[in-house]
Amino acid sequence: MSRPPKVLVLFYSFSGQTRGLIHRLVDSLEEQGVIVFAERLIPREQLRFPIGSVFATLRMMLVTLFRRNMEIEPLEARCYENYDLVILAGPTWSYNPSGPVLGLLRQSGKKIFAGKVVLPLISCRGYWRVHWHGLRHLLRKCGAAVPNVIVFSHPVKEPWRTVGVFLKLAGRVPERLLGDHYPRYGHSREQLEQAFLFGRQIAEALRQEQSLKTLAFPPC
Ligand SMILES: Cc1cc2nc3c(=O)[nH]c(=O)nc-3n(C[C@H](O)[C@H](O)[C@H](O)COP(=O)(O)O)c2cc1C
């Protein structure tokens, strides 16, 4: 490619985990000379992290199980330009894409994704397959090509991982309540560095005009 590759990054992050991964990925793409425009999806309905109570957390988990779309604020005009790649990143919510990502697909899916190559990035505690297959289906319906996926799971053993995420969302301190079983909520420093390395691979593939299908992004 004779000009620098152009990448659009659209992401939603409720508790900061996707945002951390995306920051490292974008740093790495930019370091490799890629032109990046990143836009955070902002839901119209205000969501607060932590959710704050056990009851409200259970309610959100139940509601999101039914793939509830959440309306988002209008996107910057630059999101509708031409890009060599669109990275669509966000958390798993009850085995599905998060409400704001579903809202984006419903509100502007065809306008943004038709004819584009889209690489989803998923941040989750560990259960991402249904999310991935559902998201790929929705993106393809919008006319996108979806050659690969990047997945990051929380690096803590079960059942502590599930209990820890639940407690964190409910506003408790799992690091204190679960002790050594739960060192921290979310992704590790090594995973952030892995996001950086994935960015290098993507930049190189774009420069060589090589399909992202050929890249290995082992789930971490
Ligand atoms: C309502 C809700 C439901 C969730 N459901 C799942 C799930 O089904 N599978 C999973 O692996 N993680 C699930 N999680 C955990 C998040 O995917 C995980 O904490 C992710 O790293 C958060 O990313 P974020 O901080 O960018 O929002 C859920 C989180 C929330 C808030």
Side-chain angles (χ1 to χ4, degrees):
M1 191 177 279
S2 51
R3 55 167 180 83
K6 258 181 88 183
V7 172
L8 171 67
V9 177
L10 295 168
F11 72 99
Y12 173 69
S13 188
F14 178 55
S15 63
Q17 300 308 306
T18 308
R19 189 182 56 218
L21 296 167
I22 283 300
H23 276 171
R24 290 307 284 149
L25 190 73
V26 168
D27 280 351
S28 152
L29 290 171
E30 289 182 335
E31 199 184 275
Q32 299 294 313
V34 175
I35 296 171
V36 181
F37 180 64
E39 172 93 331
R40 183 176 186 170
L41 308 182
I42 303 172
R44 286 223 154 119
E45 168 189 335
Q46 258 207 345
L47 298 175
R48 205 172 53 105
F49 173 79
I51 302 165
S53 76
V54 168
F55 177 73
T57 302
L58 285 172
R59 197 180 52 191
M60 184 166 174
M61 287 182 160
L62 187 69
V63 168
T64 52
L65 193 58
F66 295 99
R67 281 190 158 200
R68 189 174 149 230
N69 291 284
M70 284 184 179
E71 272 201 45
I72 54 163
E73 296 291 346
L75 300 176
E76 289 280 335
R78 284 184 68 185
C79 295
Y80 300 94
E81 291 176 3
N82 264 334
Y83 290 93
D84 300 299
L85 174 68
V86 182
I87 295 176
L88 175 60
T92 300
W93 279 4
S94 302
Y95 307 99
N96 292 307
S98 60
V101 166
L102 292 173
L104 166 73
L105 285 157
R106 200 193 51 190
Q107 280 171 241
S108 325
K110 288 214 164 88
K111 244 174 121 183
I112 300 241
F113 298 113
K116 301 271 177 31
V117 177
V118 182
L119 177 64
L121 181 149
I122 295 174
S123 164
C124 65
R125 78 175 192 277
Y127 306 99
W128 51 273
R129 282 192 170 75
V130 175
H131 173 175
W132 156 230
H133 293 300
L135 182 60
R136 184 173 55 184
H137 174 73
L138 292 172
L139 283 166
R140 284 180 175 163
K141 259 179 47 183
C142 294
V146 192
N148 215 324
V149 63
I150 295 180
V151 179
F152 287 95
S153 301
H154 297 184
V156 172
K157 285 209 177 82
E158 293 290 10
W160 313 110
R161 181 164 70 176
T162 295
V163 178
V165 166
F166 186 86
L167 290 171
K168 196 75 177 180
L169 293 172
R172 309 294 155 87
V173 188
E175 296 84 350
R176 204 171 57 214
L177 293 167
L178 305 177
D180 289 346
H181 295 298
Y182 199 78
R184 67 194 297 271
Y185 168 75
H187 301 301
S188 63
R189 206 177 289 264
E190 290 75 24
Q191 288 180 307
L192 296 179
E193 281 327 291
Q194 190 57 58
F196 188 86
L197 296 177
F198 285 163
R200 274 198 195 148
Q201 279 178 255
I202 294 167
E204 182 59 17
L206 291 173
R207 261 201 311 269
Q208 305 290 334
E209 296 188 50
Q210 176 194 344
S211 166
L212 297 187
K213 212 176 191 160
T214 61
L215 299 184
F217 299 121
C220 1

